[in-house]
Amino acid sequence: MPAGRDVVRFDQRGWGSSRRLPGPYDLDRLADDVLEVVAGLGLERYVLVGHSMGGKVSQLVAGRRPSGVAGVALVAPAPPRPPAMVTPEYQRVLAQAYDSPESVEQALDHVLTAIPLDAAVRDAVVRDSLASDADARREWPLRGIAADVSTAVEGIDVPVLVLAGEQDRVEPSAVLREHLLPVIPHARLEVVPKAGHLLPIEAPDAVASRLEEFAAGLGR
């Protein structure tokens, strides 16, 4: 993002530097955490940006219509209404995806990415994927991904940008058109060419430029 654009990022509860924070790790608790970060920093006007699971959390936050939120950018987000592919078997497989370096690399090669990652970036993804609390790691695949939050997010009343990777196998653009756009009909969907699910690291320049354009269009 441009140097003149203030950006706040944090590790969600149960992950990275926040992995020792106690549970529960459900979507509502994660949404509460976002608003606590906003309040703690005294942010008066901001854009929410969430990727994948964070995209579903961002939808929940915006659905509460907090003061100050100017827009929402959803990057390869999980839709509010889970698609048919989210079966108990799919959830069991997903729950084991981040159990070991080998399982993370398997997911990177066959599910998460559409282009090869730089070796240093790949190592960082593996390391970060393993830096989590065991309960937090399983909360998303076993419960969060299957939660239908459409009623909670249908009241979003700010501009919404949705970015989808052209070759995303986790949250394909077709799934977002069917399971997100009908719930948030004023959302604008843009497809990023060639990229898979890990849009922020597969196509960082494209994501950054689209986020900046979106934020700039909302005004200061």
Side-chain angles (χ1 to χ4, degrees):
M1 298 296 290
R5 178 71 66 182
D6 292 333
V7 177
V8 175
R9 61 183 178 87
F10 68 97
D11 291 342
Q12 292 199 18
R13 180 179 298 267
W15 292 88
S17 59
S18 301
R19 64 184 176 275
R20 291 185 176 84
L21 292 179
Y25 303 102
D26 58 85
L27 295 174
D28 284 325
R29 181 62 181 272
L30 298 183
D32 290 342
D33 286 343
V34 173
L35 291 175
E36 287 185 16
V37 169
V38 169
L41 293 172
L43 303 180
E44 297 180 352
R45 183 173 169 81
Y46 56 93
V47 176
L48 285 171
V49 181
H51 171 254
S52 194
M53 176 183 76
K56 197 167 186 177
V57 173
S58 293
Q59 292 168 62
L60 279 175
V61 174
R64 299 180 185 181
R65 298 186 178 183
S67 62
V69 62
V72 184
L74 306 173
V75 183
R81 185 179 297 144
M85 62 179 280
V86 180
T87 63
E89 177 59 25
Y90 177 84
Q91 291 175 266
R92 284 193 292 271
V93 171
L94 187 61
Q96 299 172 352
Y98 295 153
D99 282 351
S100 68
E102 294 75 21
S103 64
V104 175
E105 293 199 4
Q106 183 84 355
L108 281 173
D109 291 337
H110 299 287
V111 181
L112 295 175
T113 61
I115 60 176
L117 301 180
D118 176 84
V121 173
R122 183 183 176 91
D123 289 345
V125 172
V126 173
R127 182 179 65 250
D128 291 346
S129 298
L130 297 173
S132 64
D133 176 272
D135 289 338
R137 190 164 65 246
R138 287 170 173 75
E139 173 65 31
W140 171 247
L142 296 182
R143 283 171 286 277
I145 196 172
D148 187 335
V149 300
S150 53
T151 300
V153 310
E154 61 187 7
I156 295 175
D157 60 353
V158 295
V160 178
L161 171 66
V162 182
L163 298 180
E166 182 182 34
Q167 299 181 40
D168 191 336
R169 291 183 286 259
V170 179
E171 307 295 355
S173 59
V175 166
L176 298 178
R177 287 190 176 95
E178 183 177 354
H179 295 272
L180 187 149
L181 295 186
V183 181
I184 313 173
H186 64 282
R188 185 175 88 247
L189 174 66
E190 294 187 17
V191 177
V192 178
K194 301 179 181 179
H197 186 61
L198 298 189
L199 270 176
I201 57 176
E202 291 184 86
D205 291 340
V207 171
S209 65
R210 284 165 171 79
L211 292 181
E212 172 59 20
E213 180 182 343
F214 178 64
L218 299 172
R220 291 282 181 177

